[in-house]
Amino acid sequence: MFRLKELREKRGMSQVRLAIELDLNQNTISRYESGAREADYRTLIAIADYFDVSLDYLLGRTDNPMILK
């Protein structure tokens, strides 16, 4: 995912820590960050919720991380 690594590093988190927080495997996080694998919609929502950003921001469709309500 376009901004996953950036968001994770901003929080000073390792891939292992994020994987634990999201109940995923570290290899899965690595593959998402490298673009070797794409997350399903439930995982995308969980990641966006975890970092409190919009899906569009997470996927690089906007530079505005705010969730519009």
Side-chain angles (χ1 to χ4, degrees), residues 1 4-5 7-9 16 20 29 31-33 36 42 46-49 51-52 58-59 61-64 66:
M1 282 167 282
L4 179 58
K5 183 175 182 179
L7 290 165
R8 178 181 59 77
E9 288 179 343
V16 171
I20 291 167
I29 299 294
R31 289 184 181 118
Y32 289 160
E33 289 184 356
R42 287 185 179 143
I47 293 169
D49 286 349
F51 288 108
D52 196 29
L58 181 63
L59 297 173
R61 293 176 43 127
T62 183
D63 291 329
N64 181 1
M66 300 295 291

Side-chain angles (χ1 to χ4, degrees), residues 9-39:
E9 288 179 343
K10 258 187 202 177
R11 289 207 182 170
M13 298 180 81
S14 67
Q15 289 180 346
V16 171
R17 184 67 197 157
L18 181 59
I20 291 167
E21 293 288 326
L22 296 174
D23 196 26
L24 297 171
N25 185 292
Q26 182 270 327
N27 288 329
T28 301
I29 299 294
S30 176
R31 289 184 181 118
Y32 289 160
E33 289 184 356
S34 71
R37 183 173 177 184
E38 293 182 359

Side-chain angles (χ1 to χ4, degrees), residues 40-50 53 55 58:
D40 61 36
Y41 76 93
R42 287 185 179 143
T43 304
L44 287 171
I45 291 168
I47 293 169
D49 286 349
Y50 181 81
V53 297
L55 286 171
L58 181 63

